[in-house]
Amino acid sequence: MAQADRRGFLKELLGAGAGLVQEVGGAFRSAFEPEFPAPEPVDRIVRAEPVRRTASLDDLGRLLEEAGLASRHRTAAHRLARIGLRLVPDGTGGGSRLGGLPELPDELEWPHREDRTLAFLGQIDLRETPGLGLPPTGSLLFFSDVERQPDGLRSGDDGACRVLLVDSDQPLRPREGTAAFPEARLGLSSELMLPSAYSAQLDPFELDVEAFEAWSRLRERLAELQGVPLDDEAGDFIAAHRLLGYAEPVYGREMELDCELVANGLDLHEGEGYYDPRRDELEAGAADWRLLLQLSVDPQLGLAWRDPFRRLYLWIREPDRLARDFRRVRPMLQ
C-alpha cells in the first residue's frame, strides 16, 4: 500500500470515532498492532537494572546476520540505532541525581509556571555523558509542574516543564525550599537501542510479516546481550528512568507526532487534532523530535504521577538539542 494511501486509511480510521486516538503507522502496522487501552493498575513495580555490557555496532551487525533481515532492514537498524543512558539509583554515583533541591547560579531564578514553583526533578552531570551530542561540561537541571501534571496534549502545556543548562564555571548556590522528591544519586549506563517494530520510523522500510517478527527478535537479542529486559516484553512494570535513546511508551501512541502537532497549535486532549487538515503537512516534522528524559513511577524514589499515568517524558527537537537550546522542551504523560 502506498504511503499516501496509508495516510488516507489512517484519517478514515481516526474520523470514525473521536475516542480512537492511538497512532498507527500504516495499514500493515495497524493490522499487527494491538489496541492500547488505558493501562490497568500496576500490581508490581520492579527497579530497572543497569546495563551489564553496552552493545557495539559490530554486535548489532552480528545480530542482524543471525536475524536474517534483508539488506534494507539492516540499513534501517544501523540508521535508527541510538545510545540511551539508563539512570539507576546508585549510592556511589557521581554528580547526577534525582530529587532533592537544586543548586543554581545567583542570576537564575527557580523556574515558575503562573504562580507556582516548578518541582525540581533532578540534574545530570554532563561530564558523565560523553559522546552523546550534549555539552561536555556543566549540568542539565529538570523542573516540572508536578502539582497539576498536564498530559502535554495542549499547546499551552509546554510551560509545564523547564530544562536549564548550567555552565560548569558558574558558581552555584543551594536553594532553599521543599523537595518534591527525596534525593537519590544516580549511576549512568549506556544502552544501544532500536525502535519497536510498531514504530512509524520503520514505515519507509516496509516490514512484511517475516521481517516484522525478525525485527522484534532482533530487539530481544540486543537487550539480552546487554543484560536488560525489553520494557514491552516484561511482565512487571519496570521503573525505568533514562536520558536520550528511545522512549518506552506505556501504550502505543507515537509521542513524536504528538509533540509536533501540539507544538503547532493542535489540541489533542480530546482527539480532534489527529484529523485536523494540517496533520498531513505537519507529520514529517515528527522525525525531528527526540526523547530527552523519561521518568517512571518509582515508589522507592517517591516518584509518582497522577492516575492513570505511569511515565513522564520530556521531548526536544534534534536541531535544538544540537544547538544546546533547551527552551522548547515539551512534556508528555502516559
Side-chain angles (χ1 to χ4, degrees):
M1 181 180 292
Q3 193 74 9
D5 293 336
R6 290 193 287 180
R7 283 198 296 269
F9 168 81
L10 182 57
K11 288 186 71 173
E12 289 182 12
L13 182 64
L14 289 168
L20 181 60
V21 295
Q22 307 298 342
E23 292 303 317
V24 292
F28 167 77
R29 193 158 48 91
S30 67
F32 284 84
E33 186 169 4
E35 292 186 9
F36 294 96
E40 297 185 7
V42 175
D43 293 326
R44 176 176 154 87
I45 300 175
V46 298
R47 174 66 56 81
E49 296 293 331
V51 174
R52 296 178 187 172
R53 179 177 83 82
T54 304
S56 66
L57 291 178
D58 287 341
D59 291 325
L60 179 60
R62 177 174 55 80
L63 294 177
L64 284 164
E65 290 284 347
E66 294 174 0
L69 285 160
S71 60
R72 69 178 184 277
H73 302 139
R74 298 180 191 182
T75 299
H78 284 284
R79 183 181 302 174
L80 297 175
R82 295 179 191 167
I83 290 289
L85 294 179
R86 286 190 166 227
L87 312 178
V88 179
D90 181 354
T92 62
S96 298
R97 60 187 171 95
L98 293 179
L101 293 171
E103 296 179 346
L104 294 169
D106 287 335
E107 61 269 25
L108 281 182
E109 294 185 355
W110 190 319
H112 287 70
R113 186 188 190 209
E114 299 170 352
D115 59 346
R116 299 183 305 283
T117 299
L118 296 181
F120 175 61
L121 298 176
Q123 70 181 46
I124 298 296
D125 184 342
L126 295 172
R127 293 173 299 179
E128 301 173 6
T129 65
L132 296 181
L134 294 170
T137 59
S139 298
L140 282 180
L141 281 70
F142 300 90
F143 300 82
S144 179
D145 186 352
V146 300
E147 180 179 335
R148 294 194 179 176
Q149 297 187 31
D151 57 18
L153 298 179
R154 296 183 175 96
S155 58
D157 291 345
D158 53 349
C161 70
R162 289 284 303 281
V163 179
L164 301 180
L165 173 61
V166 177
D167 293 335
S168 58
D169 57 355
Q170 293 179 277
L172 304 179
R173 177 173 58 85
R175 298 301 173 91
E176 296 181 356
T178 302
F181 313 104
E183 180 176 314
R185 294 285 166 175
L186 295 172
L188 280 57
S189 58
S190 298
E191 178 181 2
L192 188 65
M193 304 182 71
L194 291 172
S196 164
Y198 295 115
S199 173
Q201 299 189 62
L202 286 165
D203 279 356
F205 299 95
E206 299 182 339
L207 299 183
D208 58 19
V209 176
E210 183 178 351
F212 184 95
E213 294 176 348
W215 186 276
S216 297
R217 290 194 301 271
L218 170 66
R219 291 182 69 241
E220 292 173 5
R221 289 285 294 115
L222 182 62
E224 183 180 299
L225 180 65
Q226 299 176 100
V228 293
L230 274 180
D231 183 83
D232 48 6
E233 297 293 333
D236 298 313
F237 179 78
I238 300 175
H241 317 301
R242 62 173 64 256
L243 184 80
L244 306 179
Y246 284 100
E248 295 157 313
V250 176
Y251 45 88
R253 184 169 57 220
E254 294 279 346
M255 284 177 279
E256 293 92 334
L257 178 60
D258 289 354
C259 289
E260 181 66 11
L261 297 182
V262 174
N264 284 276
L266 275 61
D267 189 329
L268 306 182
H269 189 72
E270 300 296 333
E272 296 93 337
Y274 289 111
Y275 46 96
D276 185 283
R278 291 178 291 163
R279 178 200 160 114
D280 284 352
E281 64 185 73
L282 294 173
E283 192 169 336
D288 285 341
W289 290 92
R290 297 288 187 275
L291 177 70
L292 180 60
L293 182 72
Q294 171 185 295
L295 295 180
S296 300
V297 167
D298 190 334
Q300 295 184 54
L301 296 182
L303 288 173
W305 317 120
R306 64 182 173 91
D307 288 338
F309 300 116
R310 299 185 191 173
R311 284 185 176 138
L312 170 68
Y313 309 85
L314 301 187
W315 294 89
I316 188 172
R317 284 189 173 100
E318 182 70 350
D320 286 344
R321 185 181 72 86
L322 295 176
R324 304 178 182 181
D325 182 354
F326 297 92
R327 294 174 297 172
R328 290 178 288 273
V329 172
R330 299 206 65 89
M332 288 280 167
L333 279 171
Q334 278 197 2

mmCIF file of all heavy atoms in Angstrom, residues 281-312:
data_model
loop_
_atom_site.group_PDB
_atom_site.id
_atom_site.type_symbol
_atom_site.label_atom_id
_atom_site.label_comp_id
_atom_site.label_asym_id
_atom_site.label_seq_id
_atom_site.Cartn_x
_atom_site.Cartn_y
_atom_site.Cartn_z
ATOM 1 N N GLU A 281 0.548 17.777 6.521
ATOM 2 C CA GLU A 281 1.738 18.583 6.245
ATOM 3 C C GLU A 281 2.662 18.662 7.449
ATOM 4 O O GLU A 281 3.864 18.897 7.285
ATOM 5 C CB GLU A 281 1.326 19.991 5.812
ATOM 6 C CG GLU A 281 0.585 20.799 6.869
ATOM 7 C CD GLU A 281 0.101 22.136 6.345
ATOM 8 O OE1 GLU A 281 -0.864 22.140 5.553
ATOM 9 O OE2 GLU A 281 0.702 23.155 6.727
ATOM 10 N N LEU A 282 2.125 18.449 8.647
ATOM 11 C CA LEU A 282 2.948 18.513 9.859
ATOM 12 C C LEU A 282 3.613 17.181 10.179
ATOM 13 O O LEU A 282 4.593 17.136 10.924
ATOM 14 C CB LEU A 282 2.095 18.945 11.052
ATOM 15 C CG LEU A 282 1.530 20.366 11.023
ATOM 16 C CD1 LEU A 282 0.583 20.586 12.187
ATOM 17 C CD2 LEU A 282 2.665 21.390 11.046
ATOM 18 N N GLU A 283 3.108 16.108 9.611
ATOM 19 C CA GLU A 283 3.541 14.769 10.001
ATOM 20 C C GLU A 283 5.045 14.561 9.838
ATOM 21 O O GLU A 283 5.693 13.914 10.673
ATOM 22 C CB GLU A 283 2.771 13.725 9.192
ATOM 23 C CG GLU A 283 2.921 12.312 9.701
ATOM 24 C CD GLU A 283 1.932 11.360 9.038
ATOM 25 O OE1 GLU A 283 0.875 11.830 8.563
ATOM 26 O OE2 GLU A 283 2.240 10.164 8.990
ATOM 27 N N ALA A 284 5.636 15.125 8.784
ATOM 28 C CA ALA A 284 7.065 14.925 8.542
ATOM 29 C C ALA A 284 7.909 15.485 9.672
ATOM 30 O O ALA A 284 9.004 14.972 9.963
ATOM 31 C CB ALA A 284 7.471 15.570 7.216
ATOM 32 N N GLY A 285 7.421 16.536 10.336
ATOM 33 C CA GLY A 285 8.191 17.146 11.413
ATOM 34 C C GLY A 285 8.332 16.276 12.639
ATOM 35 O O GLY A 285 9.168 16.569 13.509
ATOM 36 N N ALA A 286 7.542 15.203 12.734
ATOM 37 C CA ALA A 286 7.657 14.308 13.884
ATOM 38 C C ALA A 286 9.051 13.692 13.975
ATOM 39 O O ALA A 286 9.528 13.371 15.067
ATOM 40 C CB ALA A 286 6.599 13.213 13.805
ATOM 41 N N ALA A 287 9.717 13.537 12.840
ATOM 42 C CA ALA A 287 11.041 12.906 12.826
ATOM 43 C C ALA A 287 12.096 13.741 13.535
ATOM 44 O O ALA A 287 13.175 13.234 13.865
ATOM 45 C CB ALA A 287 11.479 12.645 11.388
ATOM 46 N N ASP A 288 11.818 15.029 13.776
ATOM 47 C CA ASP A 288 12.795 15.893 14.448
ATOM 48 C C ASP A 288 12.841 15.690 15.954
ATOM 49 O O ASP A 288 13.803 16.097 16.603
ATOM 50 C CB ASP A 288 12.474 17.371 14.178
ATOM 51 C CG ASP A 288 12.834 17.812 12.779
ATOM 52 O OD1 ASP A 288 13.647 17.117 12.132
ATOM 53 O OD2 ASP A 288 12.307 18.844 12.329
ATOM 54 N N TRP A 289 11.784 15.074 16.521
ATOM 55 C CA TRP A 289 11.693 15.010 17.978
ATOM 56 C C TRP A 289 12.476 13.834 18.547
ATOM 57 O O TRP A 289 12.497 12.744 17.981
ATOM 58 C CB TRP A 289 10.231 14.922 18.400
ATOM 59 C CG TRP A 289 9.495 16.207 18.164
ATOM 60 C CD1 TRP A 289 8.796 16.563 17.045
ATOM 61 C CD2 TRP A 289 9.421 17.321 19.049
ATOM 62 N NE1 TRP A 289 8.286 17.828 17.184
ATOM 63 C CE2 TRP A 289 8.649 18.327 18.404
ATOM 64 C CE3 TRP A 289 9.915 17.580 20.327
ATOM 65 C CZ2 TRP A 289 8.370 19.554 19.006
ATOM 66 C CZ3 TRP A 289 9.639 18.796 20.920
ATOM 67 C CH2 TRP A 289 8.871 19.773 20.262
ATOM 68 N N ARG A 290 13.129 14.094 19.672
ATOM 69 C CA ARG A 290 13.928 13.082 20.361
ATOM 70 C C ARG A 290 13.572 13.065 21.843
ATOM 71 O O ARG A 290 13.281 14.096 22.445
ATOM 72 C CB ARG A 290 15.431 13.373 20.244
ATOM 73 C CG ARG A 290 15.983 13.346 18.837
ATOM 74 C CD ARG A 290 16.060 11.929 18.286
ATOM 75 N NE ARG A 290 16.746 11.888 17.009
ATOM 76 C CZ ARG A 290 16.187 12.102 15.842
ATOM 77 N NH1 ARG A 290 14.889 12.393 15.783
ATOM 78 N NH2 ARG A 290 16.877 12.042 14.727
ATOM 79 N N LEU A 291 13.616 11.874 22.421
ATOM 80 C CA LEU A 291 13.467 11.774 23.865
ATOM 81 C C LEU A 291 14.650 12.453 24.539
ATOM 82 O O LEU A 291 15.804 12.204 24.188
ATOM 83 C CB LEU A 291 13.409 10.307 24.290
ATOM 84 C CG LEU A 291 13.330 10.078 25.806
ATOM 85 C CD1 LEU A 291 11.968 10.508 26.345
ATOM 86 C CD2 LEU A 291 13.615 8.621 26.154
ATOM 87 N N LEU A 292 14.358 13.305 25.518
ATOM 88 C CA LEU A 292 15.408 13.883 26.352
ATOM 89 C C LEU A 292 15.467 13.186 27.706
ATOM 90 O O LEU A 292 16.539 12.775 28.152
ATOM 91 C CB LEU A 292 15.172 15.389 26.532
ATOM 92 C CG LEU A 292 16.201 16.128 27.388
ATOM 93 C CD1 LEU A 292 17.606 16.017 26.787
ATOM 94 C CD2 LEU A 292 15.807 17.594 27.567
ATOM 95 N N LEU A 293 14.304 13.024 28.341
ATOM 96 C CA LEU A 293 14.270 12.410 29.675
ATOM 97 C C LEU A 293 13.003 11.599 29.826
ATOM 98 O O LEU A 293 11.928 12.010 29.364
ATOM 99 C CB LEU A 293 14.312 13.498 30.756
ATOM 100 C CG LEU A 293 14.342 13.018 32.213
ATOM 101 C CD1 LEU A 293 15.697 12.412 32.565
ATOM 102 C CD2 LEU A 293 14.001 14.164 33.171
ATOM 103 N N GLN A 294 13.113 10.446 30.469
ATOM 104 C CA GLN A 294 11.966 9.615 30.830
ATOM 105 C C GLN A 294 12.073 9.272 32.309
ATOM 106 O O GLN A 294 13.109 8.788 32.766
ATOM 107 C CB GLN A 294 11.949 8.328 30.005
ATOM 108 C CG GLN A 294 10.915 7.287 30.461
ATOM 109 C CD GLN A 294 11.022 5.991 29.683
ATOM 110 O OE1 GLN A 294 10.787 5.954 28.483
ATOM 111 N NE2 GLN A 294 11.366 4.907 30.370
ATOM 112 N N LEU A 295 11.013 9.548 33.057
ATOM 113 C CA LEU A 295 10.956 9.205 34.480
ATOM 114 C C LEU A 295 9.688 8.401 34.738
ATOM 115 O O LEU A 295 8.590 8.823 34.366
ATOM 116 C CB LEU A 295 10.960 10.460 35.352
ATOM 117 C CG LEU A 295 12.222 11.321 35.319
ATOM 118 C CD1 LEU A 295 12.063 12.531 36.226
ATOM 119 C CD2 LEU A 295 13.456 10.524 35.711
ATOM 120 N N SER A 296 9.849 7.256 35.376
ATOM 121 C CA SER A 296 8.734 6.355 35.643
ATOM 122 C C SER A 296 8.257 6.476 37.083
ATOM 123 O O SER A 296 8.986 6.940 37.967
ATOM 124 C CB SER A 296 9.166 4.898 35.389
ATOM 125 O OG SER A 296 9.570 4.697 34.060
ATOM 126 N N VAL A 297 7.027 6.032 37.310
ATOM 127 C CA VAL A 297 6.561 5.850 38.681
ATOM 128 C C VAL A 297 7.568 4.955 39.409
ATOM 129 O O VAL A 297 7.947 3.895 38.901
ATOM 130 C CB VAL A 297 5.163 5.199 38.692
ATOM 131 C CG1 VAL A 297 4.797 4.718 40.079
ATOM 132 C CG2 VAL A 297 4.124 6.173 38.169
ATOM 133 N N ASP A 298 7.997 5.394 40.584
ATOM 134 C CA ASP A 298 9.021 4.647 41.319
ATOM 135 C C ASP A 298 8.811 4.878 42.817
ATOM 136 O O ASP A 298 9.293 5.871 43.369
ATOM 137 C CB ASP A 298 10.414 5.104 40.890
ATOM 138 C CG ASP A 298 11.524 4.205 41.427
ATOM 139 O OD1 ASP A 298 11.322 3.572 42.478
ATOM 140 O OD2 ASP A 298 12.609 4.158 40.802
ATOM 141 N N PRO A 299 8.060 3.996 43.472
ATOM 142 C CA PRO A 299 7.778 4.209 44.896
ATOM 143 C C PRO A 299 9.033 4.313 45.756
ATOM 144 O O PRO A 299 9.038 5.038 46.758
ATOM 145 C CB PRO A 299 6.955 2.969 45.272
ATOM 146 C CG PRO A 299 6.361 2.498 43.987
ATOM 147 C CD PRO A 299 7.386 2.807 42.939
ATOM 148 N N GLN A 300 10.095 3.621 45.388
ATOM 149 C CA GLN A 300 11.315 3.670 46.191
ATOM 150 C C GLN A 300 11.965 5.046 46.156
ATOM 151 O O GLN A 300 12.684 5.412 47.085
ATOM 152 C CB GLN A 300 12.305 2.604 45.710
ATOM 153 C CG GLN A 300 11.801 1.181 45.910
ATOM 154 C CD GLN A 300 12.841 0.152 45.520
ATOM 155 O OE1 GLN A 300 13.966 0.184 45.995
ATOM 156 N NE2 GLN A 300 12.474 -0.763 44.645
ATOM 157 N N LEU A 301 11.712 5.796 45.084
ATOM 158 C CA LEU A 301 12.267 7.142 44.974
ATOM 159 C C LEU A 301 11.229 8.217 45.292
ATOM 160 O O LEU A 301 11.562 9.407 45.278
ATOM 161 C CB LEU A 301 12.815 7.381 43.556
ATOM 162 C CG LEU A 301 13.984 6.511 43.108
ATOM 163 C CD1 LEU A 301 14.440 6.916 41.709
ATOM 164 C CD2 LEU A 301 15.139 6.602 44.094
ATOM 165 N N GLY A 302 9.999 7.817 45.541
ATOM 166 C CA GLY A 302 8.947 8.786 45.790
ATOM 167 C C GLY A 302 8.407 9.435 44.537
ATOM 168 O O GLY A 302 7.669 10.428 44.612
ATOM 169 N N LEU A 303 8.751 8.900 43.351
ATOM 170 C CA LEU A 303 8.253 9.447 42.090
ATOM 171 C C LEU A 303 6.857 8.886 41.816
ATOM 172 O O LEU A 303 6.668 7.668 41.789
ATOM 173 C CB LEU A 303 9.182 9.081 40.932
ATOM 174 C CG LEU A 303 10.540 9.782 40.872
ATOM 175 C CD1 LEU A 303 11.397 9.174 39.777
ATOM 176 C CD2 LEU A 303 10.365 11.269 40.637
ATOM 177 N N ALA A 304 5.901 9.781 41.589
ATOM 178 C CA ALA A 304 4.534 9.350 41.299
ATOM 179 C C ALA A 304 3.862 10.403 40.439
ATOM 180 O O ALA A 304 4.074 11.604 40.631
ATOM 181 C CB ALA A 304 3.753 9.139 42.592
ATOM 182 N N TRP A 305 3.076 9.940 39.461
ATOM 183 C CA TRP A 305 2.294 10.825 38.612
ATOM 184 C C TRP A 305 0.831 10.542 38.869
ATOM 185 O O TRP A 305 0.463 9.466 39.350
ATOM 186 C CB TRP A 305 2.653 10.616 37.132
ATOM 187 C CG TRP A 305 4.118 10.483 36.911
ATOM 188 C CD1 TRP A 305 4.786 9.420 36.367
ATOM 189 C CD2 TRP A 305 5.145 11.442 37.251
ATOM 190 N NE1 TRP A 305 6.140 9.651 36.354
ATOM 191 C CE2 TRP A 305 6.400 10.890 36.893
ATOM 192 C CE3 TRP A 305 5.130 12.707 37.831
ATOM 193 C CZ2 TRP A 305 7.601 11.543 37.078
ATOM 194 C CZ3 TRP A 305 6.336 13.378 38.028
ATOM 195 C CH2 TRP A 305 7.557 12.791 37.650
ATOM 196 N N ARG A 306 -0.027 11.501 38.530
ATOM 197 C CA ARG A 306 -1.453 11.320 38.804
ATOM 198 C C ARG A 306 -2.021 10.173 37.965
ATOM 199 O O ARG A 306 -1.598 9.936 36.837
ATOM 200 C CB ARG A 306 -2.220 12.620 38.546
ATOM 201 C CG ARG A 306 -2.213 13.103 37.094
ATOM 202 C CD ARG A 306 -2.960 14.424 36.982
ATOM 203 N NE ARG A 306 -2.843 14.999 35.644
ATOM 204 C CZ ARG A 306 -3.698 14.764 34.662
ATOM 205 N NH1 ARG A 306 -4.699 13.933 34.838
ATOM 206 N NH2 ARG A 306 -3.538 15.358 33.479
ATOM 207 N N ASP A 307 -2.974 9.446 38.553
ATOM 208 C CA ASP A 307 -3.604 8.327 37.846
ATOM 209 C C ASP A 307 -4.267 8.825 36.563
ATOM 210 O O ASP A 307 -4.853 9.900 36.550
ATOM 211 C CB ASP A 307 -4.654 7.667 38.742
ATOM 212 C CG ASP A 307 -4.025 6.870 39.890
ATOM 213 O OD1 ASP A 307 -2.849 6.485 39.758
ATOM 214 O OD2 ASP A 307 -4.713 6.656 40.901
ATOM 215 N N PRO A 308 -4.198 8.047 35.476
ATOM 216 C CA PRO A 308 -3.616 6.698 35.380
ATOM 217 C C PRO A 308 -2.187 6.711 34.843
ATOM 218 O O PRO A 308 -1.709 5.700 34.335
ATOM 219 C CB PRO A 308 -4.549 6.031 34.378
ATOM 220 C CG PRO A 308 -4.846 7.154 33.406
ATOM 221 C CD PRO A 308 -4.912 8.418 34.240
ATOM 222 N N PHE A 309 -1.496 7.848 34.913
ATOM 223 C CA PHE A 309 -0.213 7.987 34.233
ATOM 224 C C PHE A 309 0.908 7.289 34.996
ATOM 225 O O PHE A 309 0.936 7.296 36.237
ATOM 226 C CB PHE A 309 0.121 9.467 34.043
ATOM 227 C CG PHE A 309 -0.884 10.203 33.218
ATOM 228 C CD1 PHE A 309 -1.641 11.238 33.752
ATOM 229 C CD2 PHE A 309 -1.097 9.843 31.899
ATOM 230 C CE1 PHE A 309 -2.574 11.898 32.986
ATOM 231 C CE2 PHE A 309 -2.041 10.501 31.121
ATOM 232 C CZ PHE A 309 -2.783 11.538 31.670
ATOM 233 N N ARG A 310 1.815 6.711 34.228
ATOM 234 C CA ARG A 310 2.939 5.978 34.808
ATOM 235 C C ARG A 310 4.293 6.580 34.468
ATOM 236 O O ARG A 310 5.278 6.266 35.140
ATOM 237 C CB ARG A 310 2.921 4.522 34.328
ATOM 238 C CG ARG A 310 1.689 3.746 34.721
ATOM 239 C CD ARG A 310 1.846 2.298 34.294
ATOM 240 N NE ARG A 310 0.603 1.554 34.412
ATOM 241 C CZ ARG A 310 0.447 0.312 33.969
ATOM 242 N NH1 ARG A 310 1.456 -0.312 33.404
ATOM 243 N NH2 ARG A 310 -0.715 -0.301 34.096
ATOM 244 N N ARG A 311 4.347 7.373 33.389
ATOM 245 C CA ARG A 311 5.652 7.909 32.987
ATOM 246 C C ARG A 311 5.532 9.352 32.517
ATOM 247 O O ARG A 311 4.564 9.722 31.857
ATOM 248 C CB ARG A 311 6.283 7.064 31.871
ATOM 249 C CG ARG A 311 6.864 5.746 32.384
ATOM 250 C CD ARG A 311 7.592 4.973 31.312
ATOM 251 N NE ARG A 311 8.193 3.788 31.915
ATOM 252 C CZ ARG A 311 8.193 2.584 31.379
ATOM 253 N NH1 ARG A 311 7.625 2.399 30.195
ATOM 254 N NH2 ARG A 311 8.761 1.564 31.987
ATOM 255 N N LEU A 312 6.547 10.127 32.862
ATOM 256 C CA LEU A 312 6.719 11.481 32.349
ATOM 257 C C LEU A 312 7.842 11.443 31.327
ATOM 258 O O LEU A 312 8.908 10.871 31.584
ATOM 259 C CB LEU A 312 7.080 12.438 33.483
ATOM 260 C CG LEU A 312 7.513 13.846 33.062
ATOM 261 C CD1 LEU A 312 6.350 14.622 32.450
ATOM 262 C CD2 LEU A 312 8.097 14.611 34.261
#
